[in-house]
Amino acid sequence: MTHPVISLAQALIQRESVTPEDAGCQHMMNERLSAIGFDIESLFFTDTLNTWARKGTQSPHFCFAGHTDVVPTGPEKNWQHPPFTGLIEDGLLHGRGAADMKGSLAAMVVATERFVSKHPDHKGSISFLITSDEEGPFINGTTRVIDTLEERGEKIDMCLVGEPSSRDVLGDVVKNGRRGSLTGFLTIKGVQGHVAYPHLAQNPIHLAMPALTELSQTVWDMGNDFFPATSFQISNINGGTGAGNVIPGELEVQFNFRFSTEVTHQQLQQKVNAILQKHNLNYELNWIVNGLPFLTDHGPLVDATVAAIKSVTGLITQLETTGGTSDGRFIAQTGAKVIELGPRNATIHKVDECVSTDDLIALTDIYEQILEQLLT
């Protein structure tokens, strides 16, 4: 007999919810949650469907967070199995979103159903914050829901984001924080001219090189026990007209910081400006703060998660802050404790994305035990 979590994961995968589309995934989840006493609130912003579902009004308030949208598949002919069929073969559930993160969503719902059935009068509150805009520009998704909750004073105490955190085996890694991400768009201005008459021009590429070298070699901080040192990487450089005999008038440089809790984005911006000014550059610089760093240290949420993983898998999990950003960054800024726990991430965003069915069953058990420890 098929396990309930596998059936639900298959049904979610069969919905072609390429970002920012939800394709009925949230409705499917909401029907299940409503049946066990959740109040359902659908929040639609511009092009994005979000769900805020809550059972209970008291603290502690535990939230499951995740997304129903998936990245595009690319040419489906390159897939061994059609990406939206949810086919199971050799113990693997195949399909776009199987690992990122419809499998986790199914585990959350089934774990909650089992927990509520055993503990209908559990303490505190359980909620679900689900969006269809995590894989896209993340403008009208979780961040907008958090803004709505903040406006009405509704606070999350603890949050588990179902991102695929595991590396080699289920539960070997839990993300208990994330680095911040800061992107700079730099335009260095020179004077266009003929390459044969450099004295009549100012080459912005030549002018920029010493400053860019210094930026790439600067030690921004030393990191700490949970975060590596802040990194600076140039991702794009564009200069020139395409002609070989023209000195360009401008150089455009895009760069990114992944930064720890040892430094703020304001401090990074100030230091970059100081270096550019030291080199007497004529420049314009615009910034985008993609996300602020957050860290959830040992406490009820982390300890319950570590204990649940050990109970189900026998593993002693590793707490890490590596990788990119997630929607956890928006939730953490409200003061909530946030961790990320999901299946293995080896196939996410790839052709032939898949997840172990045994892992989804075990993940459901882990999620249920976390609820047991925090809300009973």
Side-chain angles (χ1 to χ4, degrees):
M1 188 177 208
T2 303
H3 193 283
V5 73
I6 306 303
S7 298
L8 180 53
Q10 285 180 297
L12 291 170
I13 290 168
Q14 289 162 2
R15 306 265 179 177
E16 297 188 25
S17 55
V18 176
T19 190
E21 296 299 323
D22 170 74
C25 292
Q26 291 177 44
H27 177 71
M28 186 185 305
M29 295 173 63
N30 292 345
E31 285 190 324
R32 304 271 293 250
L33 294 173
S34 178
I36 57 173
F38 278 75
D39 294 319
I40 309 298
E41 185 177 359
S42 292
L43 300 168
F44 188 83
F45 301 113
T46 308
D47 60 353
T48 300
L49 180 63
N50 306 283
T51 288
W52 175 247
R54 182 167 178 175
K55 180 180 183 293
T57 59
Q58 303 300 312
S59 293
H61 177 185
F62 176 86
C63 177
F64 281 118
H67 60 92
T68 54
D69 60 321
V70 299
V71 295
T73 64
E76 292 193 16
K77 64 182 178 60
N78 295 334
W79 287 66
Q80 181 181 359
H81 306 293
F84 295 109
T85 57
L87 186 143
I88 297 174
E89 184 176 87
D90 298 327
L92 295 175
L93 171 59
H94 293 265
R96 176 58 86 220
D100 187 15
M101 57 175 288
K102 292 182 176 180
S104 296
L105 295 178
M108 292 172 181
V109 171
V110 174
T112 303
E113 289 173 332
R114 295 194 321 206
F115 174 75
V116 170
S117 176
K118 294 176 185 176
H119 308 283
D121 298 318
H122 61 83
K123 70 179 183 181
S125 307
I126 309 171
S127 63
F128 280 70
L129 196 172
I130 310 299
T131 184
S132 65
D133 177 38
E134 195 273 346
E135 300 290 8
F138 50 82
I139 293 172
N140 294 308
T142 298
T143 182
R144 294 286 299 273
V145 178
I146 287 297
D147 288 345
T148 300
L149 298 179
E150 287 287 287
E151 287 171 3
R152 64 194 191 199
E154 194 168 358
K155 288 289 188 179
I156 298 168
D157 298 314
M158 296 172 285
C159 181
L160 188 154
V161 185
E163 291 291 347
S165 63
S166 303
R167 186 167 46 229
D168 298 317
V169 294
L170 177 69
D172 60 352
V173 173
V174 167
K175 304 291 187 182
N176 67 322
R178 291 284 191 168
R179 295 176 295 175
S181 175
L182 173 66
T183 299
F185 300 89
L186 173 65
T187 300
I188 298 170
K189 299 182 178 182
V191 177
Q192 184 174 306
H194 197 294
V195 295
Y197 302 95
H199 60 289
L200 299 177
Q202 289 183 321
N203 192 321
I205 299 174
H206 295 182
L207 294 172
M209 287 174 65
L212 296 180
T213 298
E214 182 172 348
L215 288 169
S216 68
Q217 295 176 350
T218 295
V219 176
W220 307 92
D221 62 53
M222 300 303 294
N224 55 37
D225 290 343
F226 285 104
F227 289 93
T230 293
S231 67
F232 169 90
Q233 289 293 315
I234 295 172
S235 54
N236 288 285
I237 291 183
N238 182 43
T241 64
N245 59 353
V246 179
I247 294 171
E250 290 186 344
L251 175 69
E252 296 178 343
V253 181
Q254 182 179 347
F255 57 85
N256 179 265
F257 285 99
R258 293 301 166 105
F259 61 102
S260 75
T261 51
E262 293 295 304
V263 65
T264 67
H265 68 281
Q266 294 96 335
Q267 289 171 327
L268 292 173
Q269 291 170 339
Q270 291 168 3
K271 195 165 184 177
V272 169
N273 276 302
I275 290 172
L276 296 174
Q277 291 165 12
K278 184 178 77 173
H279 289 275
N280 297 314
L281 296 176
N282 180 11
Y283 69 93
E284 291 181 358
L285 179 54
N286 295 301
W287 299 94
I288 293 180
V289 180
N290 305 297
L292 299 176
F294 69 91
L295 177 67
T296 297
D297 210 337
H298 283 281
L301 178 59
V302 168
D303 295 346
T305 302
V306 171
I309 292 170
K310 189 172 190 301
S311 174
V312 174
T313 70
L315 289 175
I316 298 175
T317 193
Q318 298 295 311
L319 301 175
E320 294 186 2
T321 61
T322 55
T325 58
S326 78
D327 276 359
R329 68 194 188 274
F330 303 123
I331 302 166
Q333 297 310 312
T334 70
K337 303 299 182 184
V338 178
I339 58 114
E340 299 173 24
L341 170 61
R344 293 180 62 228
N345 55 27
T347 64
I348 61 173
H349 292 207
K350 292 184 177 181
V351 168
D352 294 328
E353 180 180 351
C354 60
V355 66
S356 161
T357 54
D358 286 344
D359 282 357
L360 287 189
I361 293 169
L363 184 63
T364 306
D365 294 339
I366 292 170
Y367 287 168
E368 184 181 1
Q369 286 204 21
I370 292 171
L371 291 171
E372 290 272 356
Q373 294 186 56
L374 294 175
L375 300 181
T376 61

